[in-house]
Amino acid sequence: MELPADFAFQPLDNDEGTSALATAPAGLGPLAGLAGSWSGQGFNAIWRPHRGTSDHFLELNVTNDRIDIEVIDGQIPNRGLVTAQIFMHGLSYLQQISDANVEINGAPAGLHFEPGVWINIPPTTDPQEPATIARLASIPHGTTILVQGTATTAAGGPSIPAVSLTPFAIGSRNQPVDFDEQHLNRNTQFRTSGVGLTGITQAMLDNPNSVLTRNPPNVTTTTRLHVSTTAGTIVGGGTSNTAFLVGTKDGPNADAAHVAATFWLQTLAGDTEPKRLQYSQIVLLNFAGLSWPHITVATLTKA
């Protein structure tokens, strides 16, 4: 991605009180409503490798979630060889997630730190693609992702499907493997316990997206941003992992093989711009012969 010579971040606030959406360039298209500072709570569930008497551990967290998103000022040119150059527009962001139940040295325990970029991409003829959106992210564990997809806007609130935390054989979703850790009424030492489980219910483990459908407000318009490392017929997308995660002949330590995420940008009754953001993200971590879903969801409001 080539940045313009006069690259700068466009400030989100100004002395006249103009909204971030009002100052965002038209070239951002469906991404324009993301500009701003978002915060709220959510739920995180991750099967992580465990070396010892069990090969896995299920970590569960009620989360505090914050995403600060700033407009990249100016066009972003992409030079072409087989087709003419295109001009994109984008936003930079920083997401930070902490555990709402657990503190370390008097501060909430950190769970996730992610700098990244959202970009709005115009249609192209070679490859033959419609207008798309993409998210580029770096995660300090040793993974970078490029997820690409499309955006749609419709009246009313979001339609949020159920998602499953059940692992399955790599490449075979029709071969699920149920574990005791998925059932709070079963005793196991390989799952979050004690104060860490405060506020976590069996319904959340059965369908993590159920956290997003509690007490829905009156939503007039929803823009759905769906991106994936394998976004159907779209050519782009993928993950890249450090050598430690990928492993060698003995298999991966925890290879982040697939990422899919949906963000629902919502305008509430009485508002003129989106001030509610919900998202659900699934990362498949491959180890021990299975794909283990890592699911993160949250409901955020714009400051």
Side-chain angles (χ1 to χ4, degrees):
M1 182 178 72
E2 182 179 350
L3 296 175
D6 59 349
F7 164 80
F9 289 121
Q10 179 170 323
L12 299 178
D13 302 308
N14 57 57
D15 294 337
E16 298 177 357
T18 304
S19 70
L21 181 58
T23 59
L28 285 173
L31 301 180
L34 287 175
S37 293
W38 303 84
S39 61
Q41 281 203 323
F43 173 57
N44 175 69
I46 178 171
W47 297 96
R48 50 183 173 82
H50 185 274
R51 184 175 175 85
T53 56
S54 171
D55 60 13
H56 64 272
F57 185 98
L58 179 57
E59 180 177 339
L60 305 170
N61 316 96
V62 173
T63 60
N64 293 319
D65 198 327
R66 179 183 176 94
I67 311 177
D68 295 299
I69 306 175
E70 295 188 322
V71 175
I72 297 174
D73 191 19
Q75 297 185 112
I76 305 168
N78 253 11
R79 316 298 182 184
L81 178 63
V82 296
T83 188
Q85 68 180 357
I86 61 173
F87 292 94
M88 306 180 297
H89 290 80
L91 308 101
S92 68
Y93 72 88
L94 178 63
Q95 181 177 24
Q96 299 179 81
I97 303 176
S98 60
D99 194 316
N101 290 329
V102 179
E103 292 188 349
I104 297 178
N105 297 325
L111 296 173
H112 185 76
F113 179 91
E114 178 186 317
V117 173
W118 279 97
I119 52 176
N120 188 40
I121 307 169
T124 57
T125 56
D126 191 353
Q128 186 73 42
E129 299 287 2
T132 59
I133 56 172
R135 176 173 139 237
L136 294 69
S138 298
I139 296 89
H141 288 293
T143 300
T144 60
I145 65 169
L146 194 162
V147 282
Q148 190 168 358
T150 56
T152 56
T153 299
S159 176
I160 300 178
V163 291
S164 175
L165 194 57
T166 303
F168 54 87
I170 294 175
S172 301
R173 290 180 180 272
N174 61 348
Q175 298 180 39
V177 182
D178 188 84
F179 289 94
D180 286 342
E181 287 75 23
Q182 296 172 242
H183 307 276
L184 293 179
N185 62 351
R186 300 181 188 176
N187 292 326
T188 171
Q189 59 180 314
F190 303 108
R191 180 185 62 219
T192 297
S193 60
V195 69
L197 284 179
T198 303
I200 294 176
T201 66
Q202 183 60 48
M204 295 163 67
L205 272 68
D206 293 339
N207 172 23
N209 276 2
S210 64
V211 174
L212 304 179
T213 58
R214 300 171 180 168
N215 305 314
N218 185 3
V219 178
T220 59
T221 305
T222 299
T223 295
R224 178 180 180 268
L225 311 172
H226 180 72
V227 289
S228 171
T229 51
T230 52
T233 59
I234 297 174
V235 176
T239 66
S240 183
N241 297 272
T242 60
F244 174 83
L245 296 176
V246 174
T248 54
K249 61 181 179 61
D250 297 321
N253 279 300
D255 183 21
H258 172 75
V259 181
T262 305
F263 289 72
W264 295 275
L265 190 58
Q266 302 161 42
T267 301
L268 305 183
D271 289 339
T272 58
E273 64 179 282
K275 293 184 179 178
R276 188 172 193 253
L277 178 64
Q278 294 184 293
Y279 75 87
S280 174
Q281 176 169 284
I282 301 176
V283 180
L284 295 183
L285 298 176
N286 289 350
F287 61 90
L290 298 178
S291 287
W292 306 78
H294 168 21
I295 301 176
T296 310
V297 304
T299 297
L300 313 175
T301 56
K302 183 180 290 188

